Amino acid sequence: MGSEHSITSFFFLQRLGPALTPNILLQFINQNGNILLALSGESPTPAALVSLLLELDIHLPPDRTSLVVDHFNFDMLSASEKHDVLLLPRPSALRSDVKNFFAGHGTVSFPRAVPQGLGNSSPHLAPILRAKSTAYSYNPKDEAETVEDPFAVGEQISLVSSMQARNSARLTVFGSVEALEDKWFDAKIKSFESKESKTTNRKFAEQVSAWTFLETGVLKVGRVEHHLSSTGEEALGNDTTVSQAGYLNPKLYRIKNDVTFNIEISEYSYDHLVPLSIPSTDAVQLEFTMLSPFHRLNLQPASHTLNSTIFSSTFKLPDQHGIFAFRVNYKRPFQTNVDVKREVTVRHFAHDEWPRSWMISAGWVWIAGVWVTVVGWVAFVGVWLWSEPAYERSQGKKLK
């Protein structure tokens, strides 16, 4: 994929000290580098790391030592007193139109997790795993019995956060490095409402690392085609068929032409390509645009190959000449961006391409007016000639 990867933990950052600056990590991301960053609640988070995340609109507690506590969803075997080992179900889809790469059955255990808050202004941020509505952030060094003005509460707390830059480089912030330890991959846990069971941390960690290092959620564009099309009905039934008229990818079209656009998109699934499948509430859209879109159409899956889906749409060009572009701009959380543009020229009708006047019903009135004028003029000339006055043959004078 032409990318570099980095797995960075809190303890590794501590050893680097001032040598690691936010600018170095940002440059790594700008050069298509991917980072998996794991935090720890055992020691204060380094100031350089706090500054880096703040650049990306990911906020950590100001005291840098706060943990997430939940008195209703904790592990009764390992945190019966402190309630700082959270038990959470596998993440659900962020929205109904967003594909879920982290779904599954079972429970994830999160010991001593560092809370994160995501800014609302950045479209590049998305939470992967959130805390329950009963959770809140708590500073273990605070000896007060009650917590006043916590950093975040409930689902405001993101335990695993993601950032995907414009160049599709990825950064994942994992709120608990302890959750990635071997002992938690198959540890026994027990909550109030369920019996003793094992965690699914191993599978969840595999999914998070696969997404971070571009093994899932990576879209690849194959063929992009457009051509003139002709429609007709099949001999049996009323199904409309669309066939190609002319050659592929012409640079010049005419207004009101029927055009078909096709785009082939694949998706990486670990070590191979698979056809792209999207949720039923989502759509890959095509824009036929000049300065602004004249058409915005949903592309329908027309066919599938072993490793790709071909999306297609047929439409009529607008009654406007100029330089247009076919554009597919598909951007969704947890998937790399697809932005494909193909420019074409749309011309007016040529002089010999306009329909004849007698084929236009609105012109029949004017055609009738022309013929009425012609017939009237001929009739007038005939009447005028027929009405010539009589002359005397001898003197050549008019008769009174």
Side-chain angles (χ1 to χ4, degrees):
M1 298 300 295
S3 301
E4 296 181 352
H5 311 306
S6 174
I7 302 177
T8 306
S9 69
F10 163 80
F11 306 104
F12 177 71
L13 293 174
Q14 276 189 323
R15 289 197 297 269
L16 288 177
L20 181 66
T21 63
N23 188 42
I24 293 176
L25 294 176
L26 288 177
Q27 287 180 356
F28 182 74
I29 294 174
N30 290 333
Q31 296 171 359
N32 298 327
N34 307 296
I35 300 176
L36 175 59
L37 179 62
L39 305 178
S40 174
E42 295 184 352
S43 300
T45 306
L49 181 56
V50 176
S51 300
L52 166 68
L53 298 180
L54 192 60
E55 292 276 350
L56 306 175
D57 210 10
I58 301 175
H59 304 269
L60 298 182
D63 54 35
R64 299 188 294 164
T65 58
S66 292
L67 303 177
V68 182
V69 176
D70 192 335
H71 301 299
F72 296 88
N73 301 281
F74 65 93
D75 183 21
M76 298 178 62
L77 301 180
S78 60
S80 58
E81 295 182 0
K82 295 183 177 181
H83 302 175
D84 57 357
V85 178
L86 309 183
L87 300 182
L88 302 167
R90 299 285 286 279
S92 57
L94 185 63
R95 299 193 309 258
S96 60
D97 60 337
V98 174
K99 191 173 181 179
N100 188 3
F101 294 94
F102 314 100
H105 301 286
T107 303
V108 179
S109 61
F110 251 71
R112 293 169 288 281
V114 177
Q116 306 155 42
L118 304 183
N120 297 322
S121 60
S122 176
H124 305 288
L125 297 176
I128 294 178
L129 182 65
R130 296 176 179 174
K132 288 280 192 176
S133 58
T134 52
Y136 62 93
S137 62
Y138 168 71
N139 188 352
K141 297 181 179 180
D142 190 356
E143 298 180 355
E145 295 182 357
T146 59
V147 178
E148 297 182 359
D149 193 19
F151 168 72
V153 297
E155 295 186 356
Q156 296 175 346
I157 302 174
S158 177
L159 301 175
V160 181
S161 307
S162 68
M163 191 281 300
Q164 181 170 264
R166 291 187 179 92
N167 61 354
S168 297
R170 294 172 174 177
L171 167 72
T172 301
V173 183
F174 209 90
S176 173
V177 69
E178 290 87 351
L180 301 176
E181 296 177 355
D182 291 341
K183 68 177 183 179
W184 287 106
F185 277 178
D186 56 357
K188 292 183 178 180
I189 54 175
K190 185 178 186 304
S191 64
F192 281 121
E193 302 177 351
S194 63
K195 299 180 180 179
E196 188 174 306
S197 61
K198 289 188 176 182
T199 67
T200 58
N201 285 31
R202 181 188 299 275
K203 184 61 178 178
F204 180 65
E206 290 177 355
Q207 292 174 331
V208 172
S209 61
W211 180 85
T212 304
F213 299 137
L214 300 178
E215 294 180 2
T216 59
V218 178
L219 304 184
K220 180 182 179 181
V221 177
R223 294 176 300 167
V224 179
E225 300 174 346
H226 54 87
H227 56 79
L228 288 172
S229 59
S230 60
T231 58
E233 292 186 357
E234 293 183 356
L236 299 176
N238 296 323
D239 295 336
T240 301
T241 60
V242 178
S243 59
Q244 179 179 340
Y247 53 90
L248 284 175
N249 303 329
K251 294 296 183 181
L252 183 64
Y253 286 104
R254 193 204 67 201
I255 60 174
K256 296 185 177 181
N257 272 149
D258 290 324
V259 174
T260 297
F261 179 86
N262 301 319
I263 184 170
E264 182 183 22
I265 306 179
S266 306
E267 181 178 11
Y268 274 98
S269 178
Y270 294 95
D271 58 353
H272 63 284
L273 289 171
V274 296
L276 173 63
S277 61
I278 59 177
S280 59
T281 54
D282 191 18
V284 179
Q285 291 188 325
L286 167 68
E287 293 180 350
F288 192 70
T289 178
M290 189 157 54
L291 295 177
S292 59
F294 279 68
H295 288 298
R296 183 178 286 119
L297 308 167
N298 290 343
L299 293 171
Q300 304 297 329
S303 60
H304 298 272
T305 65
L306 292 177
N307 54 16
S308 66
T309 302
I310 299 175
F311 296 87
S312 179
S313 180
T314 299
F315 64 100
K316 187 180 292 291
L317 297 183
D319 190 5
Q320 174 68 44
H321 71 286
I323 305 299
F324 285 83
F326 297 97
R327 186 180 184 187
V328 176
N329 187 15
Y330 185 75
K331 297 179 180 178
R332 297 294 184 273
F334 307 121
Q335 290 181 315
T336 55
N337 301 328
V338 172
D339 193 355
V340 176
K341 183 185 293 186
R342 297 290 187 270
E343 290 189 353
V344 295
T345 301
V346 179
R347 63 173 176 85
H348 271 306
F349 279 99
H351 292 295
D352 59 350
E353 290 178 331
W354 292 98
R356 299 300 181 183
S357 56
W358 58 81
M359 300 177 63
I360 304 174
S361 59
W364 293 348
V365 176
W366 309 104
I367 296 174
V370 170
W371 284 108
V372 167
T373 302
V374 171
V375 172
W377 171 252
V378 172
F380 170 76
V381 171
V383 171
W384 186 81
L385 294 175
W386 182 263
S387 303
E388 182 182 5
Y391 291 89
E392 292 183 1
R393 294 183 179 179
S394 58
Q395 300 179 358
K397 295 181 178 180
K398 293 182 179 180
L399 298 176
K400 295 182 178 180

